[in-house]
Amino acid sequence: MKLKSLASGIALALALGGCATTYTTADGASGADATPLAAVTMVTPPERDPSQLQVLFWSDEQRSARFREMENWFAGHEVPAARQPRALPQGEALPAALAQKIRATMLETNAAGVMVYKNGTVRFEDYALGFTPDQRWTSFSVAKSFTSTLLGAAIRDGFIASLDDPVTRYIPGLAGSAYEGVTVRQLATMTSGVAWNEDYTDPNSDVAQMNRFVVEYGPEAIVAQMRELKREAPAGEKWVYKTGETNLIGLLVENAVGLSLAEYAQEKIVEPAGFENGLFWMVDPRGGNIGGCCLSLSLADYTRMGVFALEGGGDAVPEGWFAEAGDSLVDFGDSGYGYGYQWWTYPGSFGAQGIFGQSITIVPSEGLVLTVVSNWPTATSSENRAKWGAIAAGIAASD
């Protein structure tokens, strides 16, 4: 798996600053629950030397500390906890040998927290690296699956008419570019056919150039960069991973709904999923949120997001949304792996992934959600991913 999601975060070193702002969302209460939603607020951290914000160059010790306090390093929106947090009842502990294997894998992969939810109860929970249950850990590309969920919510609410609408209907600035004729569905599955280079080792790659566009174009950076891209295949025929396109989805949803992703997430994810420790989501130069990266949650709230998806999302998304979004809409050969609407798909399961070892793995047939947050020594590791894949399989097969 490629290094996927830091360009926006790196660009923040030069792009962010400004005043504190308070946002008030609409009241999403229904039935007997008429308590107004608390405000979503802007968090502005102390001014720092931009060199301190280069996440890729943080030391192991710095990552372990800063991954659990990103709101002290980058500007973003603070979303309060849900009015009625969802209980995660404790269940019977996993078999001792399996729990021991999980703890050993935590040590091997430098995991900060692991939670196992199966058939309605928490069967395992443990922490390391100074991380505690009431703290939040950064997500990196796990955020993409949240942005996908808000896309579904916007469809459910009628702000987006159809996944088959042209992207330019919601982002007019892309008219006349390679995105002319590309549908929202093709954007969601990263099959636009537009060329993109996600190689972080190449300073001239598209993902590395995000910083330059932020400096030159400020609030217009996303559209300015994506307008310059060229087509390499007919729309719908080629899958290429593009963080820039998830940022477009975020912009598309914000344009359609008229709220920031964080504000909309308060109504459509935080409240119905019952988050207990709120949410922090970084902003870009527009003052909107970064669709492809950079929200922070507690370990239990990552699990609540997994349970929310496992149970279908209630009335927040269209019926069957997660079954479709977590299906292999793009197959990676005969491997059993693929990609849905900003969710990775595996044999019998689907999940969200972020660099440095963040993941939510959902196994619907077993009522299982496995949540892992980590500080891997390297941003990507197929070996570590495989270890946690084996753990998920072992938990699914256990009593």
Side-chain angles (χ1 to χ4, degrees), residues 251-262:
L251 175 60
L252 186 153
V253 170
E254 289 185 342
N255 286 350
V257 175
L259 298 172
S260 70
L261 294 179

Side-chain angles (χ1 to χ4, degrees), residues 193-261:
V194 177
W196 175 270
N197 182 351
E198 186 91 6
D199 185 356
Y200 275 80
T201 66
D202 178 2
N204 296 314
S205 69
D206 297 304
V207 74
Q209 288 297 306
M210 283 181 170
N211 184 63
R212 176 175 68 82
F213 279 87
V214 166
V215 173
E216 293 183 11
Y217 293 92
E220 305 301 322
I222 295 175
V223 172
Q225 181 178 24
M226 305 308 276
R227 278 193 62 85
E228 291 193 3
L229 301 177
K230 306 299 182 184
R231 175 161 299 284
E232 65 175 351
E237 292 189 8
K238 183 176 182 179
W239 182 87
V240 176
Y241 190 93
K242 309 179 185 78
T243 290
E245 290 198 341
T246 315
N247 292 341
L248 281 181
I249 296 172
L251 175 60
L252 186 153
V253 170
E254 289 185 342
N255 286 350
V257 175
L259 298 172
S260 70
L261 294 179

Side-chain angles (χ1 to χ4, degrees), residues 170-195:
Y170 304 97
I171 311 178
L174 291 176
S177 74
Y179 285 95
E180 189 79 55
V182 172
T183 67
V184 177
R185 188 187 309 275
Q186 289 160 348
L187 201 65
T189 55
M190 296 192 181
T191 58
S192 67
V194 177

Side-chain angles (χ1 to χ4, degrees), residues 116-139:
V116 175
Y117 173 97
K118 190 175 183 183
N119 293 325
T121 63
V122 174
R123 304 285 303 279
F124 179 94
E125 180 179 3
D126 203 3
Y127 297 84
L129 308 184
F131 186 44
T132 61
D134 60 338
Q135 292 178 321
R136 295 184 296 213
W137 195 270
T138 194
S139 61

Side-chain angles (χ1 to χ4, degrees), residues 8 173 203 207 256 259 263 319 371:
S8 298
V207 74
L259 298 172
E263 293 174 270
E319 185 176 355
T371 308

